[in-house]
Amino acid sequence: LSGNHQCEQRPLGGGGVVRTTLPSVVLKNGSYMDGIGVKSINPTFLADGNKYEVAEGVRGAAFSVTDQSTLRLVGHQYNATYILGPELWSKQQRVAGVYAGNNSKVYFAGPTTIAQYGVDALAEDNSVIEFGPPLKDGVLDVSGFNLADPDNHTRVQLHSTRACLVANRNSTIDMHDLGDYHAFWDPKYYTTAGNVQLEPLDYLTGDGTGAGATPLSQTMYATSAYTSSGAMQFYPNPFADYVANGTTNGVGVIDQATYPATTFASVPTTQNGWLNLTTYDNTISNASWGGMCVRAVGGSTVNARNVMFPTGWIDPSGAYYDASTIGGCDLLRIWNIADESQLHTSYLSVSSLHPQDTSATYTGPSAVWVSGASPFVPLSGAPSSTPDTSTLSVLDSFGLGYNHQGWTGFYGKTTFENIGPFRIYVSPHPKAKFLGYVSGAGGFYTPYGSDGGQPWFSMGFGMPSNSIFVSGAPYQLFAQGYATSSDCSAINNQGPNYT
């Protein structure tokens, strides 16, 4: 699917017109389509970028599936599914690659790549975006797609510049059997001594032999070998054309918008010379600047069962997302479960391990807020009436604590208990979006200030008069259940009289 596309044209006041390229494939009014090894290129390469028009938003630039319709896209090792959007960052922002609307469904199976869209796949109004193994009549199609060969398992890569997956208005994102926990978990998590089944008892994907064998009275699905090489990998980027550190010489967000050769083990070189997706390159620095992996809004649902997330990025241990960071710890990978939406997960694996065993790789922030310069000093911005911790600025009770210099005592855990490669954001009150913190001259974090004789500040008052007010961080902190390090403000009152 490539080449010329129909455009919708709208006149502008005062003369002239604006054009928006219409979806390549449209399913509506209860239609059904099967696509095997689909290649949707929209447009083909950067040289064709000016041919793609995006004056207004496009729901389903590659596939628009609406009005109780169903689309099934299945790839295999010799012909993987590729759905590529425009390479220009400016033309990705308001475009969703695949759209399911008004009680419709899109099912992805087999090796799949969706890249260069603002949103890779969007479900709205009681619709479903689903990723799983190839099925026939509701069961694994082992012979039809030769699932005995691991290269045919469902490996998904999603590269976006707003959010990889979005469900809106009572819709569902469903990820299941992309990998298998039996292939990755240490048997201690589901067996007792003597290979007697302990946990889990409700999803036995093994065959009852070897480590983790179960009594014959248990029902064994014996599906592990047909899904275990599957995976779900996110390459999100934020909704911003920011260049890191404010310099045109730095590598920044906008550089990540183009489908990068380093993202994939095998990459298409020409339109008719596609190679096949078989493995991952976890060196993701040239593909992702962090951001939104999954969003569920308007009472929607996200399900993730028996999924392996390869990850591979730097530990996102910062307290909130900050695109200006260079080191990577503030480039969070976010799952936003907003409004009345729900998230259901079970049997997940991370970096080919049980999630608990990634504690040395992926952690959250420390237990308390500290100054930004060594030797670290704990901040004391809380009310003195706070039970147990008094004025100590607590960040994450499950984070690592230590005997901080300048404060006698210990708060936090002896080892990180806030572990994992993703952050879950919920919905604070919208007014919190106006709250902000003050940053020092040049845009750098300044933990110390002299105004009022106070020894240190972070999110609060007392910064020098040349400080810059920056909003956003408190809203992110509240979305994670954290607190700011001290008082924060919604007023940008800079100058000599700043207080």
Side-chain angles (χ1 to χ4, degrees), residues 1 47 55 60 71 77 94 105 119 153 186 228 257 326 342 381 384 464:
L1 304 175
L71 169 65
Q77 63 175 304
R94 291 177 291 170
K105 179 177 181 178
V119 174
H153 296 179
D186 188 304
S228 58
I326 299 297
Q342 298 183 21
S384 58

Side-chain angles (χ1 to χ4, degrees), residues 5-12 15-22 53 55-56:
H5 290 75
Q6 182 180 4
C7 279
E8 184 174 64
Q9 183 169 294
R10 180 173 61 82
L12 285 174
V17 297
V18 292
R19 298 180 177 86
T20 297
T21 302
L22 295 178
E53 303 286 350
E56 298 174 337

Side-chain angles (χ1 to χ4, degrees), residues 258-341:
T258 301
Y259 175 82
T262 55
T263 309
F264 309 98
S266 298
V267 194
T269 54
T270 65
Q271 181 177 341
N272 298 314
W274 297 85
L275 300 178
N276 304 296
L277 172 64
T278 55
T279 59
Y280 289 101
D281 178 357
N282 284 345
T283 305
I284 55 87
S285 60
N286 291 331
S288 174
W289 204 258
M292 198 70 65
C293 298
V294 179
R295 289 201 73 201
V297 295
S300 297
T301 301
V302 176
N303 300 316
R305 183 191 66 189
N306 200 28
V307 178
M308 201 280 281
F309 299 100
T311 63
W313 45 78
I314 296 172
D315 183 14
S317 59
Y320 56 90
Y321 183 88
D322 183 359
S324 67
T325 187
I326 299 297
C329 64
D330 297 323
L331 302 182
L332 309 187
R333 271 66 180 181
I334 300 167
W335 291 42
N336 178 209
I337 311 300
D339 308 323
E340 300 299 319
S341 301

Side-chain angles (χ1 to χ4, degrees), residues 42-67:
N42 198 2
T44 312
F45 297 105
L46 187 59
D48 300 321
N50 291 329
K51 299 178 183 178
Y52 194 79
E53 303 286 350
V54 188
E56 298 174 337
V58 182
R59 285 174 166 82
F63 294 93
S64 174
V65 185
T66 61
D67 306 323

Side-chain angles (χ1 to χ4, degrees), residues 326-416:
I326 299 297
C329 64
D330 297 323
L331 302 182
L332 309 187
R333 271 66 180 181
I334 300 167
W335 291 42
N336 178 209
I337 311 300
D339 308 323
E340 300 299 319
S341 301
Q342 298 183 21
L343 171 65
H344 304 277
T345 66
S346 56
Y347 313 122
L348 304 184
S349 303
V350 175
S351 303
S352 301
L353 295 169
H354 186 284
Q356 187 67 39
D357 293 337
T358 64
S359 58
T361 305
Y362 294 114
T363 66
S366 62
V368 299
W369 288 97
V370 297
S371 66
S374 182
F376 296 131
V377 177
L379 302 182
S380 299
S384 58
S385 58
T386 306
D388 300 325
T389 58
S390 184
T391 61
L392 185 67
S393 295
V394 175
L395 176 52
D396 187 343
S397 297
F398 296 94
L400 180 66
Y402 50 94
N403 288 314
H404 301 287
Q405 298 184 44
W407 185 70
T408 57
F410 183 93
Y411 184 83
K413 305 296 183 180
T414 56
T415 59
F416 283 105

Side-chain angles (χ1 to χ4, degrees), residues 66-222:
T66 61
D67 306 323
Q68 303 181 56
S69 298
T70 300
L71 169 65
R72 191 175 76 125
L73 297 174
V74 185
H76 54 85
Q77 63 175 304
Y78 299 111
N79 211 353
T81 299
Y82 283 94
I83 302 175
L84 304 184
E87 293 190 10
L88 293 175
W89 176 90
S90 60
K91 295 191 176 185
Q92 297 175 18
Q93 292 301 287
R94 291 177 291 170
V95 178
V98 178
Y99 179 70
N102 189 17
N103 296 283
S104 297
K105 179 177 181 178
V106 178
Y107 188 89
F108 295 94
T112 301
T113 293
I114 309 177
Q116 293 177 185
Y117 286 104
V119 174
D120 292 316
L122 168 64
E124 290 187 322
D125 301 314
N126 303 292
S127 297
V128 177
I129 298 290
E130 185 174 354
F131 298 87
L135 302 176
K136 183 177 182 180
D137 299 326
V139 298
L140 290 175
D141 191 357
V142 176
S143 60
F145 285 89
N146 187 20
L147 298 184
D149 188 333
D151 287 343
N152 289 322
H153 296 179
T154 302
R155 298 167 174 162
V156 181
Q157 297 187 121
L158 302 175
H159 169 273
S160 69
T161 51
R162 287 189 74 148
C164 295
L165 300 173
V166 177
N168 185 27
R169 296 193 293 271
N170 300 303
S171 295
T172 301
I173 294 170
D174 196 347
M175 298 169 270
H176 62 90
D177 302 306
L178 309 177
D180 185 74
Y181 69 94
H182 272 283
F184 304 115
W185 289 11
D186 188 304
K188 69 182 181 183
Y189 291 109
Y190 53 87
T191 61
T192 61
N195 288 337
V196 177
Q197 183 73 35
L198 175 65
E199 290 286 350
L201 294 176
D202 59 347
Y203 199 61
L204 304 176
T205 59
D207 60 4
T209 62
T214 61
L216 294 179
S217 60
Q218 296 282 354
T219 300
M220 306 302 298
Y221 300 119

